[in-house]
Amino acid sequence: MRSFTYERASSAAEAATAASRMEGAKFIAGGTNLLDLMKLEIETPSHLIDVNRLGLDKIEPTSEGGLRIGALVRNTDLAAHPRVRRDYGLLSRALVAGASGQLRNRATTAGNLLQRTRCPYFYDANQPCNKRKPGSGCSAIGGFSRQHAVLGASGSCIATHPSDMAVGMRALNAMVETVRPDGSARSIPIADFYRPPGETPHLETVLEKGELITAVSLPKPPGGRQIYRKVRDRASYAFALVSVGAVIQPDGSGQVALGGVAHKPWRVEAAEAELPRGAKAAAAPLLAEARTTQANAFKLPLVERTLAAVLAEARG
Amino acid sequence: MPRLTDLQLSRRVLLSGAAASAAGAAVSPRARAQAPASAVPAAIATSNVSLTLNGEPREFELDPRTTLLDALREHLHLTGTKKGCDHGQCGACTVLVEGRRINSCLTLAVMHDGDRIVTIEGLGIPGNPHPLQSAFVKHDGYQCGYCTSGQICSAIAVLGEIGAGVPSHVTPDLTEAPELTAAELRERMSGNICRCGAYSNIIEAITEVAGRKA
């Protein structure tokens, strides 16, 4: 691990200002992904700003009937919160489908959104990777691409976003709340939070330099049957090949987001009009832009079948 | 080798000099972190960390890069906590921080200033083992034993998590309290890998202790 200087921030705005002023500064909260990458020297911050003691660890009702989740709420605590279990079961289910008990005890809400891809070529510092080293090339294109994206990818990068939680947040229309170095706050719909890889896959979100996530807020509960179904190579503690997060209403309408298929949770609102007609009808517009390799083409029928299982469960 | 001694001495002088210069740049008195990086990284300034380890107050100076795992093993010489993968994949380094299980390899010691930490050494001793330690012996919950301290720390926390109503991937109903079943234990223990494959005996050991508590 490269050496770095360390400070403990005393307020969110101060942390944002400090991060914007110092080249190579990064926030650290749970650290479960950042330290992993620092050990491999894939992340090489020269300064760490510890945001763990900023008090952003509360879950509070909003005046609109929704829920405001502090950026530092640990994944375990979010999954176990009585209101989340009752009103946003999809989010609880997505959280406990990810990682291990130890990691969920440490990983935070904001850190989960910001985690990096698990593309093996991103992790192998000896291989070209445009996300790790802009302009060096993509080893996954033409390489082992079974895990990789089938939607939204570019000629520069076909990495997927690994989060389960973000898929639940996308289907639930979450808003990402931040503070910027000048002290101003903004709210970003999660639909607009992730940048497409394009020619710049190293730029993953719309966050500006120094901008700090302070909370993620959910609108009032959508009701319906809330289901998260994850398909992976083993029954626990593995990243998704494909996952479906869904809110399905009694009349068959609903909201659906996919995990394991793109650089972000994949949702096509127009496709949701087809949900009452079944998985085949809804999957077609969801996957309309898909581009596959020989190794990951299986993800398209897998999405349709996983969606069929989710719709059957919602009816049952 | 006098040359080596000279080198060590001069490095120590260099280190103390860097630490002194760091004091002025400290951001908060508790996080006595260190001078901004100059063009030449001559030496690494250290940070002061105080924590409660197995009930005893401990204080030490370390490079901020030091993980909690390395602090426990290399600085405090408590080698019961094991380093397996060092990347949060195997669970051998599991310890209890403020009563919660975490991977000690994926957290910096300096982030735990003021925290209460319990390791396998704080759970039991040979003459007076923790019930889970006895149950692991009775049920042969290991072969090589390398993952065992992590398994036991994790299992203690798992029983607490079920008791506190934390749901898991296999909990049938999110609005009901999770039950103490083998399926729940297997799912909740999936972050602790045992390459000898003692899993079924580990589940038997945990089940016995959980039953005794209930």
Side-chain angles (χ1 to χ4, degrees):
Chain A
M1 198 188 297
R2 304 271 181 89
S3 67
F4 54 83
T5 50
Y6 171 87
E7 75 174 275
R8 207 165 283 148
S10 49
S11 79
E14 274 178 38
T17 308
S20 72
R21 282 196 186 138
M22 196 176 256
E23 202 54 47
K26 266 192 126 49
F27 303 118
I28 187 165
T32 53
N33 189 210
L34 181 58
L35 285 165
D36 180 26
L37 294 168
M38 284 169 65
K39 289 179 186 195
L40 298 166
E41 301 195 354
I42 292 164
E43 293 276 13
T44 54
S46 56
H47 185 69
L48 284 185
I49 301 168
D50 183 345
V51 295
N52 278 295
R53 302 185 192 204
L54 296 184
L56 302 171
D57 54 358
K58 315 282 188 302
I59 300 177
E60 298 159 327
T62 65
S63 50
E64 295 82 34
L67 214 53
R68 186 171 186 271
I69 302 154
L72 292 167
V73 173
R74 310 286 158 173
N75 287 179
T76 298
D77 299 324
L78 184 53
H81 193 273
R83 269 216 60 194
V84 177
R85 287 157 70 185
R86 192 189 70 202
D87 294 336
Y88 305 95
L90 167 55
L91 182 56
S92 240
R93 287 289 181 203
L95 282 159
V96 296
S100 66
Q102 291 96 315
L103 291 167
R104 291 193 296 270
N105 276 344
R106 200 67 200 138
T108 63
T109 306
N112 190 314
L113 291 176
L114 294 175
Q115 65 181 306
R116 313 293 306 273
T117 184
R118 275 15 179 239
C119 171
Y121 300 104
F122 174 71
Y123 262 77
D124 182 349
N126 295 308
Q127 304 275 355
C129 168
N130 287 320
K131 191 184 275 300
R132 176 167 32 76
K133 193 177 176 204
S136 63
C138 174
S139 307
I141 297 172
F144 291 97
S145 54
R146 179 172 174 270
Q147 302 274 353
H148 290 77
V150 293
L151 288 157
S154 72
S156 296
C157 183
I158 59 170
T160 56
H161 195 273
S163 172
D164 293 295
M165 184 198 80
V167 178
M169 293 287 197
R170 179 70 180 91
L172 291 166
N173 294 315
M175 299 286 284
V176 182
E177 299 179 13
T178 70
V179 61
R180 287 185 279 199
D182 64 4
S184 64
R186 67 167 169 159
S187 230
I188 308 162
I190 191 163
D192 304 331
F193 184 71
Y194 295 104
R195 298 167 69 127
E199 298 300 307
T200 54
H202 60 293
L203 303 174
E204 296 175 347
T205 70
V206 298
L207 294 180
E208 297 164 9
K209 188 173 163 59
E211 190 170 7
L212 178 70
I213 298 175
T214 52
V216 176
S217 59
L218 295 172
K220 67 178 192 329
R225 285 292 301 274
Q226 300 191 19
I227 297 167
Y228 187 73
R229 193 167 181 119
K230 178 175 179 179
V231 183
R232 44 187 160 172
D233 284 331
R234 57 183 182 216
S236 183
Y237 202 15
F239 291 101
L241 292 168
V242 157
S243 69
V244 174
V247 179
I248 305 295
Q249 302 297 343
D251 64 1
S253 67
Q255 297 146 231
V256 170
L258 305 178
V261 295
H263 62 283
K264 63 174 183 179
W266 193 261
R267 183 172 171 192
V268 179
E269 273 87 343
E272 291 165 4
E274 300 293 327
L275 280 171
R277 277 182 282 281
K280 199 175 186 66
L286 245 179
L287 303 175
E289 296 169 33
R291 283 171 54 194
T292 61
T293 66
Q294 201 175 5
N296 68 17
F298 74 93
K299 289 190 175 187
L300 303 186
L302 190 56
V303 164
E304 187 188 315
R305 289 168 193 171
T306 308
L307 181 57
V310 164
L311 296 179
E313 189 182 335
R315 279 194 305 271
Chain B
M1 296 276 285
R3 255 172 216 282
L4 187 59
T5 312
D6 289 348
L7 190 65
Q8 285 172 333
L9 269 176
S10 58
R11 187 164 174 268
R12 192 169 301 142
V13 169
L14 199 62
L15 281 170
S16 67
S21 72
V27 173
S28 97
R30 296 230 71 176
R32 240 184 51 220
Q34 83 118 331
S38 59
V40 185
I44 305 301
T46 56
S47 297
N48 182 265
V49 179
S50 321
L51 42 80
T52 305
L53 180 62
N54 298 328
E56 301 283 328
R58 302 296 289 262
E59 189 166 356
F60 44 99
E61 290 274 330
L62 37 69
D63 182 322
R65 285 176 292 184
T66 313
T67 60
L68 180 60
L69 173 62
D70 286 341
L72 292 171
R73 289 181 56 85
E74 309 298 336
H75 292 254
L76 301 165
H77 308 294
L78 288 179
T79 53
T81 306
K82 301 302 185 207
K83 183 181 280 193
C85 67
D86 208 23
H87 285 277
Q89 296 170 5
C90 76
C93 67
T94 303
V95 299
L96 304 171
V97 176
E98 296 291 314
R100 296 164 68 115
R101 55 177 172 151
I102 69 166
N103 300 110
S104 62
C105 74
L106 285 188
T107 194
L108 298 171
V110 70
M111 291 157 71
H112 293 284
D113 194 47
D115 282 354
R116 286 174 300 125
I117 294 167
V118 173
T119 67
I120 190 74
E121 290 91 346
L123 294 174
I125 53 172
N128 184 23
H130 186 278
L132 262 168
Q133 290 172 314
S134 302
F136 267 64
V137 173
K138 179 181 165 191
H139 290 277
D140 209 9
Y142 50 80
Q143 286 181 43
C144 81
Y146 197 79
C147 71
T148 310
S149 49
Q151 299 275 5
I152 289 174
C153 285
S154 199
I156 287 171
V158 161
L159 297 180
E161 288 163 16
I162 293 175
V166 174
S168 87
H169 180 59
V170 300
T171 305
D173 185 344
L174 284 176
T175 58
E176 303 276 331
E179 290 181 28
L180 231 161
T181 62
E184 284 281 2
L185 293 177
R186 277 198 293 271
E187 161 60 26
R188 290 168 191 269
M189 291 295 291
S190 72
N192 290 83
I193 310 296
C194 170
R195 283 299 72 150
C196 302
Y199 296 112
S200 62
N201 296 357
I202 290 170
I203 296 300
E204 281 175 24
I206 302 171
T207 303
E208 181 182 293
V209 172
R212 208 184 294 155
K213 262 190 190 164

